[in-house]
Amino acid sequence: MVKLCASGYPEFLGKDPASEEVEWSESVIQSYLVMQSRRAGYKCAGGMEQGARGGSSGARAKATGLTAGEPDVRFYLSGGRVLFVELKLAKGGRLSDVQTVYHEMLRGLGHMVFVVYAKSPVDGWEQVKGILEKHG
């Protein structure tokens, strides 16, 4: 049985996904975004770009195509279009210089790139859903 929170949303990782009081990590919010996007029928893929990498694991990641600045989630849309979403925490999140340059390069190629500053998993999903409804 699904347990609903006071916000009306089902629990996510034992917490209310609409809560802005919880200190959510970007990776947890990204997981929620991908889950909800797939439930809504969108084709998307997330990367491991935000994971901590160092030493040989960092070298392997780069050798297999990991690129600094790559947005967190890609949405594959009709007509051969790709929409990119960079996720940041609303509290203290900011783009790195590498991300800013990479996102501008993608835009220069004609891709849509959006930065979402999320306060909670639900907040992030609602922002992404709005972007997809407008541009998808």
Side-chain angles (χ1 to χ4, degrees):
M1 178 153 78
V2 176
K3 182 178 178 186
L4 294 180
C5 300
S7 65
Y9 289 93
E11 273 191 357
F12 182 66
L13 302 177
K15 299 177 176 101
D16 182 347
S19 174
E20 296 177 10
E21 305 303 316
V22 175
E23 289 193 31
W24 301 102
S25 69
E26 281 184 24
S27 62
V28 167
I29 294 175
Q30 181 176 326
S31 297
Y32 189 83
L33 290 177
V34 169
M35 178 182 72
Q36 294 298 353
S37 297
R38 289 180 177 159
R39 283 184 178 163
Y42 292 102
K43 305 299 181 223
C44 64
M48 294 298 294
E49 287 78 9
Q50 66 181 326
R53 293 171 306 277
S56 64
S57 66
R60 265 194 313 276
K62 288 179 184 176
T64 59
L66 185 71
T67 306
E70 180 79 24
D72 296 317
V73 185
R74 298 169 298 282
F75 289 89
Y76 304 104
L77 307 174
S78 63
R81 297 174 301 139
V82 179
L83 183 147
F84 295 90
V85 171
E86 178 68 43
L87 177 64
K88 293 294 178 190
L89 296 175
K91 186 176 181 178
R94 69 171 203 82
L95 291 175
S96 70
D97 292 341
V98 171
Q99 288 172 319
T100 300
V101 169
Y102 199 86
H103 295 181
E104 286 305 315
M105 182 271 300
L106 289 171
R107 288 184 184 106
L109 293 171
H111 294 293
M112 297 174 280
V113 182
F114 297 89
V115 180
V116 169
Y117 292 89
K119 298 175 191 171
S120 71
V122 167
D123 177 56
W125 165 237
E126 290 296 327
Q127 290 182 59
V128 169
K129 184 170 68 169
I131 291 166
L132 291 167
E133 288 171 352
K134 182 174 181 181
H135 299 282

